[in-house]
Amino acid sequence: MTDFHLRHGTEVAQALRERRPVVALESTIVSHGLPRPDNLRVAREIEQAVRDAGAVPATIGMVSGELVVGLDDAELTRLATAENVTKLSVRDLAVAAATGADGATTVAATSAVAARAGIGVFATGGLGGVHREAAQTFDESADLVTLARTPIAVVCAGVKSILDVGATLERLETLGVAVVGYRTRRFPGFFITDSGFDLDWSVDSPELIADALAAREAHGVHHGGLVVANPLPVDEQLDLDLHDRTLAEGLARLERDGVSGKAVTPYLLSHFHSATEGASLAVNVRIILRNADLAARIAVAAATRRDSATA
């Protein structure tokens, strides 16, 4: 393969030409984040949630070394069912393309590719962040640095409580990444509605978020991302006692089993899934569907605002 340009799916290419609202979606949740066979069904549901709210879904991934913005259903099925799908962050994209890999894009890679493709809104489950043992390991997700230099709005449910939430918020501030709560002044903790940390800003409508994106572009001063923290309603979160007990057990097992570095997150997520008997997985699915809906409404509001300004 010698042509390494981005390829746009047919539906996405037409939507971008017609300046219709488009929402980027990651593929890591399909290949690595959800168990089979539920992963493919949920991936289709996520795309449908975007369509139901008036936007076009653009699931991003790599197929045989080709970086695709808007996987079709056959490509989505391939990444959901193949055995050797590589997890791709931004730094991996060029090498993966050169070697003809099948790959699923992380939050960092999806954000960067979406921005390059002219897509301004991205829906995911949760951001990566600073790990609890980062003072010793320096383990910090590439999501944070990528968002510092990528002008995209990322709708998420905060970061998973297995991470160091406070340190993650400090790093986002240092890196210049704006964080707003959607109808809240508290940062969500993914499985739970409130992580225990305050936010400086809250917005109460997709239109206001679209205004913030327009202001960023008009100012030409800030070129980083906007994190839109969208918490689950309290009655949809993971039971708090179950969450706290499962987290404490998981952290104790980490120490007992000597798990460290990159193995920590999958270890803890696997523990959550088994210890909660699938309840955490159900919460995970609720989160991404709600975020896809909000991201689509933001994209629609941004498109409406742009069309009104140019009319």
Side-chain angles (χ1 to χ4, degrees), residues 21-208:
V22 179
V23 172
L25 301 169
E26 62 165 298
S27 47
T28 296
I29 193 171
V30 180
S31 62
H32 297 82
L34 296 171
R36 298 175 185 177
D38 295 333
N39 58 339
L40 181 58
R41 172 184 59 81
V42 174
R44 290 168 174 159
E45 290 177 358
I46 295 166
E47 290 194 340
Q48 190 59 49
V50 171
R51 291 191 177 93
D52 290 346
V56 174
T59 303
I60 293 171
M62 182 174 285
V63 179
S64 296
E66 191 171 31
L67 198 50
V68 183
V69 182
L71 298 166
D72 64 25
D73 194 67
E75 293 163 337
L76 192 64
T77 301
R78 176 168 170 166
L79 294 189
T81 58
E83 293 298 329
N84 297 310
V85 177
T86 305
K87 191 174 182 179
L88 301 177
S89 190
V90 181
R91 69 172 189 170
D92 306 308
L93 294 175
V95 176
T99 57
D102 282 350
T105 52
T106 63
V107 168
T110 305
S111 298
V113 174
R116 175 68 177 83
I119 300 171
V121 185
F122 165 36
T124 187
L127 292 183
V130 178
H131 287 241
R132 288 175 179 257
E133 74 282 11
Q136 287 76 44
T137 65
F138 294 90
D139 194 352
E140 174 185 313
S141 171
D143 297 353
L144 306 185
V145 174
T146 299
L147 288 176
R149 56 179 181 243
T150 306
I152 195 164
V154 181
V155 181
C156 65
V159 299
K160 294 180 178 69
S161 52
I162 61 175
L163 300 173
D164 188 329
V165 180
T168 299
L169 286 170
E170 290 290 347
R171 284 293 287 150
L172 287 169
E173 179 181 357
T174 300
L175 292 167
V177 179
V179 182
V180 299
Y182 186 66
R183 298 178 178 173
T184 183
R185 285 268 184 176
R186 301 282 280 180
F187 192 63
F190 194 77
F191 293 129
I192 55 175
T193 301
D194 184 351
S195 70
F197 292 87
D198 291 328
L199 292 172
D200 293 331
W201 297 99
S202 176
V203 293
D204 60 8
S205 71
E207 290 73 21
L208 192 54

